Amino acid sequence: MASLEQALADITARLLLDEISAKAAIEESESLFRGWSHLLCQDSQQFLCRPARRMHLLALSEEMDQHAATWHLLWCLHCSESAPVGIGGPIVTQTGGKRTRRQALTDTVLFDRQLTRVASVVSWLESLADDMLKRNEGDSRGPSFASKEGLWAATFVRSGYGAVAGIGGGADQHISEMDPDAPTRQMRSLHPDNAKAEARLMQRMWELIRAGRVAEACGLCTQVGQPWRAASLSGCGAWGPLPVGMAAGALDEFMSEAEAAEELSGEVEGGTRAGRELWKLTCRRVAAQASGSVLGGDFEAAVYGAMCGDLRYMMPVCASWEDGCWMLCRAWLQERCDDLSAQLDGGGDREQADLEMPEQLCVLVASQASSHVMRALLRCGAGAALTQAAVQEVARVSGRGPDPVQQSGGVLAGAYRIPTKFAEVFVSLDTSPVPRVSSSAATRLRQTQRFLIEDGMHPLTQHLHNWLVVCGGGGSSSQDPGSSSSALSDPMQMNGRSADDSSGMGGGDGAGALPPPAQRNTAVAAHLLLLLEALGVLTGAVASESGVGGMAETEADLLELNKTSTTSQQLVALHAVTLLERGHLSLVPQYLCHLRDGLREALSLELLTSCSKPFTGPCSGEQLSAACDTCIEIYHSLSHWFTSCVARQQRPSKDLNSFLVTDIRGDELQYRLLHFLSMSRFLPSYGADARVQLARWLILPCMPLLSAHLERQHQDTSEDPQGPAPYALDMWHVSVFIDALELLNALSCELALGNQSTAEAGHAMYDSVIPEGFEQAAFEVAQALSFALSSDEMDGRQPQASDLASLHQLHVLTSGARQWRAFFVLDRDSAAWTSRHEALQQGGAIGVEDVVQEGTSLLHETMKLLRCGWLADVSDPASSPTGPAAELFQMDLTFTAHSTPASDPSQARGAADAQRQGAGGSLPQSRLGTGVGSANASSLAGSRGTVASAAAAAAAASQTAGRSYPLLQGAHLLTAVQDMQTAVAAELNGSSGVAATVEGPLGSAQGVLVVRISCSMGSQQAWQRAVSLAASLVQSSIPGQPSLLLVNLRAAAATAAAISRRCCLSQAVMRCAALRVALVTLRADPSTGSDLVELLAGYQSPESGVSAGQPMTRHDDSLLGMLSPSMLQQVLRLEADTQVAAMQNEQQGQSRGSGR
């Protein structure tokens, strides 16, 4: 069985999908908590010898019961299809339209919204008592009574009647007469056995009447041999005074028309007012006489007090808050119905009405309180003067003064006063003289039920907010807010389970666990508010008790509804946060749909951050695989819920099963993913590896089209160079590929401009994150869009400018992604060959011929990269269909340390200078984009003494191999800012059209340094100078510049591509020069790559397909300008070393030849 959180989420999920109605959701919620209570109670039976654990489980069971009662209250108030008072029984035909008093009252109650609510509350309280009785009876704990048990046989034997009959002897302490009034009249008791049986019977009678089962109580009286008591309780019929809920339903179902006709004839003949008032006064007198007279007299008094609605006699036997609330609401309902009945019968202020009736009443009620007599007389139709005279006569005859209840004042007067509104009900409960009632009234759950009964949605949400947010929501909801229930929060091991799962569903069935108290209360509160919203009660979608329905009537009403909705949203968001904290990520997406945009955005970021957290720290392969699976699961869950909500929003409101409202946009998920990735990409805490793994989020929306492409590719056996025919698509497909490609190109730039660690992250991105065929799938999407636009043009429809711009952008981005993949594949192969070459130099068992062959192939591919105009189309700012944009002339470069700074700033600067200068001070420290920076070049150079520089670069790169970038801190950061400001100012000295500022910790995130470069709008030359400056900063080639690692590059796509092209191609030139040295040292053909210098000089070799001496194309003629002076010096030095190595090889060959 699922956990409580999972079960509640399943209910609200089906409600949001419109599979069930709000009513069905409430019924399932109640059933859920009933099941938890039952199984917790069963689980407690395993710990009979361990009282603490048993008490803990029983307390949890009771809490679940109270939660179920709250759901049932919601059902009684808003979901019951039948009226709480029923229809009053069958209609009697052929009576000229006359109806019984009960039928007339049911119609009157239904037209009075307050009375209808009171009747619903009474129905709820009676159903709770009925459920308790049924559970006890099902467990064989209910009392059983023998036939004729109430005949007082033992007393008969001991009485004078028994002595006369020769059965037994008399006793002065017992009654000597056997009529029902004998104990009161003779002031004597029953035999102890009969007294105990009588007390047990009266307690059972009270339980049945408390549960609304008056007819069953009368039947029990008849069964035990007390039909006179059954008759005394049937003054308003066998069903009691105005049955509600299940009792009303049973009356409507089982009462025959003949019984209804008999009841109607009795009312027509004897009237309805006088008989009922006489019966009520009689019940009150019996209750007064029974109260405290004999064993069990309190219950007998309570039974008759319930019949007449007198609170004084019911209160002493109230055992719970529910009993006290039922007592007050039942008395309120009966009192108000009696008043309405008098009005229906035409009662008025008459001086002459049934002249004999007041005289009869005076004789009967000589011992009654004056207030009860006055109400009875007025309801019987007596005028005010006649009523006053009768009351005075009663007082004279009885010798009693004013009503003791009115005279007592204080707490008792308030507690015994029949309420006229719900506020008075709860004041009476709070100040009840019965401790069991008043103490329970202050608990959180009782306060929640109170606001539901009062229909106070704003106070309810404020109460829940104060409880769960301000007070933390700890402890059981059934405990007093001032107390701390250690029994409910103590971690206790039960059957090998912790306190959280000690309430699991059984001992060994592997069921879920109850969350801790704070999270449990938050979950229940959030779902309560969601179901109130589904009912239309919370937001005023339907008429409420306060009169605000559908649309707020005043500005104050509108403000209150807005506050209520806002607080409810916060509590639902709080539940989602607790799910995140507890690791239940799969349950969060559905709750996002219920939130407004602001909260939804914040929680979406939290969810995506939680899913991506494993990527930000070291993790094994299994952990990485599990994290990827979690991301995929959460993405599909978000996609499912957002898509379902969008479809639901498009349906007419009249076709929906609930009033739940969502505001999900069609592109909601794509927007949330973009926002998260944009945020995480610019946080140093997300290192290169983490950013690569996070790119999965934008690849996932493209997977359906990518899978379709792979399937078509598998099925297509033709060799058509144009690929498969275009297919139908919508603009959403275009947008998801554009978003993914934009991130892919931007991330590739930043990884390529980093160090060895970031380059390896780039290898991983194209090896394991970006699937094979992704660029081809994007190309097919562009083909399909082009085909669609061409079809529109042929049909006479002019393509929209935005569609044309999207098509161009998709083509450019796809081209860039393809070129970046080729670049990182080449860089990966270069790193692998370098490792083999180093192993060979160290005497490894590696074939020289294989190394030479692989190196030669690598050199050819690198030279091809130099000739092909790599990233030229992407880096051309004039290629944009809308022309150069403003962002083209702005670029921000964020730098941090290559490694954790040394303790001494001067030592840090010295180490950085040594790394930057290397052997001869010519090679930059970092790998720089292509991954062929100083580390590879130095290791290939070998004899030139740059191995130390390579080791330093590799050690620095290892510092960023973790999941976050190292940060500049303290004095190191301030020193780096000052040095960078000085270097940039010197570089820009006398340069026009370009400006740069350096911002430290005050202008950016702590621990990084930001260089902002801007150039004159529309100036191509200024833009090229700005790109050159940015490339120099990345390469650390400016004199005096600190050696730092690029973290982020904020720039237009063309600008970022131009910077990357400049840096990466310059390093590719250095790679070729180093490869030539290494290959010639291994006795390879020195003519391989011999046109490198000519290529730098701006001329192609004949083998390239262009005539010798012809100038190079536009994108290649600047290769020489891409090299800094130190790089050019190093290339020339390496070329000289190549020539020297070739001549040495030739001399050695000649020597060996002459030696032979």
Side-chain angles (χ1 to χ4, degrees), residues 691-707:
R691 296 178 186 184
V692 165
Q693 296 299 331
L694 293 183
R696 298 176 186 274
W697 286 112
L698 283 185
I699 302 300
L700 289 173
C702 306
M703 290 306 296
L705 287 180
L706 179 59
S707 300

Side-chain angles (χ1 to χ4, degrees), residues 56-311:
H56 175 72
L57 289 177
L58 289 176
L60 287 175
S61 177
E62 181 183 358
E63 182 185 341
M64 294 298 105
D65 256 337
Q66 292 185 8
H67 283 308
T70 304
W71 292 114
H72 189 63
L73 170 62
L74 207 58
W75 187 90
C76 291
L77 292 175
H78 302 289
C79 302
S80 180
E81 296 178 355
S82 58
V85 292
I87 61 175
I91 302 295
V92 182
T93 58
Q94 298 180 356
T95 58
K98 284 189 174 294
R99 296 184 300 168
T100 63
R101 171 187 173 276
R102 185 183 295 108
Q103 291 170 343
L105 279 179
T106 55
D107 292 343
T108 306
V109 169
L110 292 178
F111 282 104
D112 190 321
R113 296 178 62 184
Q114 187 183 55
L115 273 187
T116 301
R117 199 169 192 84
V118 175
S120 298
V121 173
V122 174
S123 172
W124 167 60
L125 294 167
E126 290 184 352
S127 65
L128 295 182
D130 184 69
D131 289 340
M132 180 61 70
L133 288 181
K134 288 179 179 177
R135 284 200 295 271
N136 292 339
E137 292 165 357
D139 296 339
S140 300
R141 291 184 292 184
S144 58
F145 294 89
S147 178
K148 310 303 180 182
E149 186 176 340
L151 290 181
W152 304 345
T155 303
F156 175 78
V157 172
R158 301 282 296 180
S159 67
Y161 291 103
V164 172
I167 300 177
D172 293 339
Q173 68 272 24
H174 300 318
I175 60 173
S176 60
E177 300 175 358
M178 296 302 296
D179 61 282
D181 295 326
T184 304
R185 183 175 63 253
Q186 295 184 350
M187 302 299 292
R188 294 181 180 180
S189 63
L190 302 177
H191 187 276
D193 292 344
N194 295 142
K196 291 179 181 179
E198 191 76 7
R200 195 166 65 95
L201 174 63
M202 288 299 101
Q203 182 175 356
R204 181 61 176 177
M205 294 280 292
W206 164 253
E207 292 173 350
L208 293 173
I209 292 174
R210 167 68 179 82
R213 293 153 66 169
V214 178
E216 188 174 340
C218 294
L220 177 60
C221 292
T222 304
Q223 173 192 335
V224 299
Q226 294 185 358
W228 55 270
R229 193 182 297 278
S232 69
L233 298 176
S234 304
C236 289
W239 304 91
L242 195 61
V244 297
M246 293 181 295
L251 182 143
D252 295 338
E253 182 178 359
F254 298 111
M255 189 178 190
S256 64
E257 185 177 349
E259 292 175 325
E262 182 179 354
E263 181 177 335
L264 179 60
S265 62
E267 292 177 358
V268 171
E269 180 180 355
T272 59
R273 291 175 292 171
R276 176 170 173 76
E277 293 302 326
L278 288 171
W279 174 72
K280 287 181 60 179
L281 290 172
T282 303
C283 288
R284 184 172 287 109
R285 185 173 183 179
V286 172
Q289 293 174 348
S291 178
S293 60
V294 294
L295 184 62
D298 285 345
F299 284 104
E300 183 177 11
V303 167
Y304 286 97
M307 295 295 102
C308 63
D310 198 314
L311 302 178

Side-chain angles (χ1 to χ4, degrees), residues 728-1023:
L729 82 163
D730 55 32
M731 291 305 297
W732 182 82
H733 297 128
V734 177
S735 66
V736 296
F737 269 96
I738 288 177
D739 292 338
L741 289 169
E742 280 185 334
L743 175 69
L744 181 59
N745 281 273
L747 196 56
S748 298
C749 289
E750 294 173 347
L751 296 176
L753 299 179
N755 57 13
Q756 181 177 354
S757 171
T758 62
E760 290 173 355
H763 303 163
M765 180 170 67
Y766 285 97
D767 288 343
S768 60
V769 176
I770 311 300
E772 284 286 345
F774 179 77
E775 297 85 357
Q776 182 61 31
F779 177 73
E780 290 185 8
V781 171
Q783 272 190 316
L785 178 59
S786 177
F787 179 79
L789 296 179
S790 300
S791 300
D792 290 345
E793 195 170 2
M794 292 178 61
D795 294 340
R797 295 190 298 271
Q798 188 67 23
Q800 296 184 5
S802 60
D803 294 341
L804 293 174
S806 297
L807 177 61
H808 174 80
Q809 185 180 15
L810 188 56
H811 276 300
V812 172
L813 292 173
T814 303
S815 174
R818 282 176 167 172
Q819 294 178 74
W820 276 117
R821 181 183 287 274
F823 166 77
F824 277 106
V825 169
L826 181 61
D827 188 65
R828 179 197 60 199
D829 295 343
S830 175
W833 187 86
T834 301
S835 299
R836 290 170 59 83
H837 179 261
E838 291 176 350
L840 178 64
Q841 286 183 327
Q842 295 174 4
I846 300 176
V848 176
E849 294 182 358
D850 293 338
V851 174
V852 170
Q853 183 178 0
E854 293 174 4
T856 302
S857 175
L858 181 62
L859 180 59
H860 280 299
E861 292 297 325
T862 307
M863 293 293 292
K864 182 179 178 181
L865 183 74
L866 296 176
R867 295 190 185 99
C868 72
W870 181 75
L871 288 187
D873 55 340
V874 183
S875 61
D876 185 2
S879 63
S880 173
T882 58
E887 61 267 15
L888 185 68
F889 304 96
Q890 301 282 341
M891 57 197 80
D892 292 352
L893 291 84
T894 303
F895 295 94
T896 188
H898 281 283
S899 60
T900 303
S903 58
D904 185 0
S906 62
Q907 295 178 3
R909 284 198 299 272
D913 292 340
Q915 290 176 358
R916 182 170 61 251
Q917 294 175 1
S922 60
L923 289 180
Q925 174 266 338
S926 65
R927 285 177 56 90
L928 292 177
T930 62
V932 289
S934 60
N936 279 343
S938 303
S939 62
L940 294 174
S943 60
R944 296 296 299 175
T946 55
V947 177
S949 176
S958 66
Q959 293 288 334
T960 56
R963 298 299 182 185
S964 61
Y965 285 96
L967 299 179
L968 291 166
Q969 299 174 358
H972 306 287
L973 175 59
L974 296 178
T975 302
V977 171
Q978 293 173 0
D979 293 346
M980 184 68 78
Q981 289 174 340
T982 303
V984 170
E987 184 73 10
L988 291 178
N989 186 23
S991 178
S992 61
V994 180
T997 59
V998 180
E999 296 181 359
L1002 297 180
S1004 64
Q1006 292 292 325
V1008 296
L1009 179 151
V1010 179
V1011 180
R1012 301 186 185 277
I1013 304 175
S1014 60
C1015 56
S1016 301
M1017 289 283 294
S1019 173
Q1020 183 75 11
Q1021 293 181 350
W1023 178 76

